[in-house]
Amino acid sequence: MAKRVLVVGKGGREHALAWKLEQSPSRPRVYVAPGNGGTAHINVPISQTDISALVRFAAAEQIDLVIPGSEEPLSLGLVDPLRAADIPAVGPSLAASQLESSKAFAKQVMAEAGVPTAAWRVFEDGEAARQYLLGSTFPCVIKADGLAAGKGVFIVQDFREASAAIAACTSPALGGAGRRIVIEEYLQGEEISFFCLCDGRTALPLAAVQDHKRAFDGDTGPNTGGMGTYSPPAFWTAELEEQTMHQVVYPLLDDMARRGTPYQGVLFVGLMITAAGPKVLEFNVRFGDPEAQVLVLRLKSDLYEVLAACAAGRLEEVELQWDPAAAVCVVLAAPGYPGEYPKEIPLEIPALQDYEMVFHAGTVRRGGKLFSSGGRVLNACAVGQDLPAARKRAYQLVQRITFPQAHYRTDIGLRGLEVGLGCTRSGSTWGERTPTER
Ligand code: AMP
Ligand code: GLY
């Protein structure tokens, strides 16, 4: 019987994962809860936060593998009841998912494990943080401890900006995410999203991706969930990956195991490549969005087999194959995103040519038509023999999409060219991959 897979979420990342899973040679039956307009043929109408309904569905439908896409179901503890019901899942337990849901927890683990990261202090309330800042140096970074959908991080230049940031962190709008506040050293360098799969014992490096977090060209404007990605970044070398595995990933896994909360699932290491080497900005306990979109376009291996091996603790058997090509993803967002934006904008996707793909994010299908339903709406993606070729194709695709008033950045991937390295075949993100020797 065909294997049955449930992807949980509704973004571009979940469409990308479902699309790749549907191509697995074993032809698994894929479901997405709740999904979007791009996955309408396989959607299940269950919210990604309705943990008990998701577990009931997985049990009733005899799901062989659950893949939570976003941090939300993980931080609500989806994986624990699944494991209790013997349903394999790719993701950490509630306890281990604190690596993303509490920045103070992540910093504590990094300190214990000796993981390089920005110097930091945790404050139990806004007033204590303000007092500390009176005697501190700027710029520095102020972060709400909890999940804040990208709205809880502020880079501040002086005490006045810092006070405003603390007020924003502690405001009811962040729903308690800023009960505790982390203040940390400002790091400079090239930012990278590095992904591993972990099965509690083994860590399998996937690949690195560069995201573009700010809303506007030239890395200006407010932070967003991510406005576009490309992979592989040429400055991510085999040496950097090796260093990151040995200085970050293995010490982290050892510490989590020692705490009695072994880490299993996707580990997203947000890194700053500083003059003093890679330092961790944050851990996420899932694939990135829109990082997953370019990862699945470059992955040649059977995603179902790889993720099933991760859930079953068999990662040491996996050998990954990557396409020696560049992939680019341009996010088309609703006008106004990440602030207020309209919905129900009519959309039309053109017929796709070779090496092109459109993943849906905030879209909904109604009466045979497609409308926007969120802030990040569509992902125009393309693959090319190098980064300039992939960029050109992705932006040609953007021009053929009908999306009135779409907001998108015109410089996705340019940074990869500006660092002077372009996209080369050097580095370890190409060819065969096996779990790294420890
Ligand atoms: P985080 O959610 O902690 O990754 O922070 C969101 C974004 O803020 C990151 O992607 C970085 O661009 C920026 N950021 C966070 N921490 C720092 C830091 N210590 N130094 C410089 N930039 C930072
Ligand atoms: N694109 C960044 C994230 O998924 O957190």
Side-chain angles (χ1 to χ4, degrees):
M1 202 174 91
K3 297 292 186 191
R4 298 157 86 84
V5 195
L6 174 63
V7 177
V8 180
K10 56 184 180 176
R13 164 184 47 210
E14 288 75 29
H15 184 191
L17 292 170
W19 173 82
K20 183 72 180 165
L21 288 162
E22 284 200 295
Q23 293 168 39
S24 291
S26 58
R27 297 264 154 225
R29 171 91 197 263
V30 182
Y31 300 88
V32 189
N36 58 35
T39 53
H41 61 297
I42 47 175
N43 285 350
V44 180
I46 303 176
S47 158
Q48 63 173 350
T49 57
D50 192 344
I51 303 302
S52 52
L54 290 167
V55 176
R56 272 200 310 275
F57 176 84
E61 295 298 319
Q62 298 180 310
I63 296 290
D64 296 286
L65 186 64
V66 178
I67 305 167
S70 95
E71 65 280 15
E72 252 190 300
L74 290 166
S75 69
L76 292 170
L78 173 59
V79 168
D80 304 67
L82 289 173
R83 295 232 166 93
D86 270 337
I87 302 169
V90 182
S93 62
L94 179 63
S97 72
Q98 287 181 85
L99 274 182
E100 176 166 0
S101 62
S102 167
K103 291 183 188 295
F105 174 82
K107 284 290 196 185
Q108 187 61 44
V109 173
M110 284 190 263
E112 281 171 15
V115 169
T117 185
W120 55 284
R121 296 277 301 263
V122 179
F123 296 91
E124 296 301 323
D125 60 68
E127 192 42 44
R130 228 185 313 271
Q131 286 302 323
Y132 169 79
L133 284 162
L134 277 170
S136 93
T137 53
F138 295 95
C140 68
V141 186
I142 297 183
K143 300 182 175 183
D145 176 52
L147 293 177
K151 293 182 185 131
V153 177
F154 302 85
I155 295 167
V156 296
Q157 305 296 336
D158 55 36
F159 184 75
R160 190 184 54 81
E161 284 183 16
S163 293
I166 289 170
C169 283
T170 51
S171 86
L174 281 198
R179 260 196 303 274
R180 286 199 290 177
I181 288 175
V182 177
I183 298 182
E184 65 180 49
E185 172 198 5
Y186 174 71
L187 298 177
Q188 275 177 299
E190 210 52 50
E191 201 173 328
I192 203 96
S193 307
F194 173 59
F195 296 88
C196 291
L197 287 177
C198 308
D199 66 7
R201 292 173 301 175
T202 311
L204 176 67
L206 294 177
V209 179
Q210 193 163 40
D211 189 13
H212 298 65
K213 294 203 172 177
R214 302 292 201 94
F216 306 125
D217 282 6
D219 292 329
T220 56
N223 249 325
T224 70
M227 292 300 292
T229 43
Y230 71 93
S231 177
F235 56 84
W236 181 254
T237 58
E239 293 70 38
L240 275 174
E241 181 176 294
E242 186 78 6
Q243 218 177 334
T244 304
M245 293 305 289
H246 289 281
Q247 293 180 3
V248 177
V249 177
Y250 293 133
L252 176 84
L253 295 186
D254 288 346
D255 193 74
M256 292 299 282
R258 190 190 53 73
R259 285 169 165 259
T261 54
Y263 190 85
Q264 194 255 56
V266 180
L267 182 67
F268 170 163
V269 187
L271 283 173
M272 191 72 93
I273 315 297
T274 71
K279 293 194 179 184
V280 173
L281 290 174
E282 64 169 346
F283 289 117
N284 295 318
V285 297
R286 49 167 176 91
F287 284 112
D289 185 347
E291 284 92 336
Q293 288 81 323
V294 290
L295 286 180
V296 301
L297 288 173
R298 289 192 53 228
L299 182 68
K300 288 213 281 193
S301 307
D302 178 340
L303 184 63
Y304 178 79
E305 280 306 317
V306 174
L307 295 181
C310 178
R314 293 188 283 104
L315 268 184
E316 75 274 7
E317 296 169 15
V318 175
E319 203 172 84
L320 290 179
Q321 299 284 340
W322 294 95
D323 189 344
V328 169
C329 167
V330 179
V331 171
L332 288 96
Y337 173 81
E340 296 281 303
Y341 52 81
K343 293 184 181 171
E344 300 290 327
I345 302 171
L347 310 165
E348 275 175 45
I349 314 266
L352 296 179
Q353 296 168 5
D354 286 349
Y355 306 108
E356 293 179 345
M357 183 63 203
V358 174
F359 292 119
H360 292 227
T363 74
V364 60
R365 262 181 218 286
R366 208 174 311 109
K369 293 207 160 72
L370 191 66
F371 299 92
S372 75
S373 61
R376 292 190 293 174
V377 177
L378 293 169
N379 305 146
C381 302
V383 174
Q385 62 180 6
D386 56 18
L387 183 52
R391 255 182 64 74
K392 190 168 166 208
R393 266 202 194 114
Y395 279 107
Q396 281 170 348
L397 174 57
V398 168
Q399 293 311 314
R400 300 197 333 268
I401 292 173
T402 306
F403 178 177
Q405 292 184 281
H407 161 59
Y408 61 90
R409 281 181 58 162
T410 65
D411 62 350
I412 302 303
L414 267 193
R415 205 168 168 82
L417 303 176
E418 280 164 5
V419 286
L421 295 161
C423 173
T424 69
R425 277 177 173 250
S426 70
S428 68
T429 42
W430 301 105
E432 289 187 3
R433 307 304 310 281
T434 52
T436 315
E437 289 293 318
R438 300 187 64 162

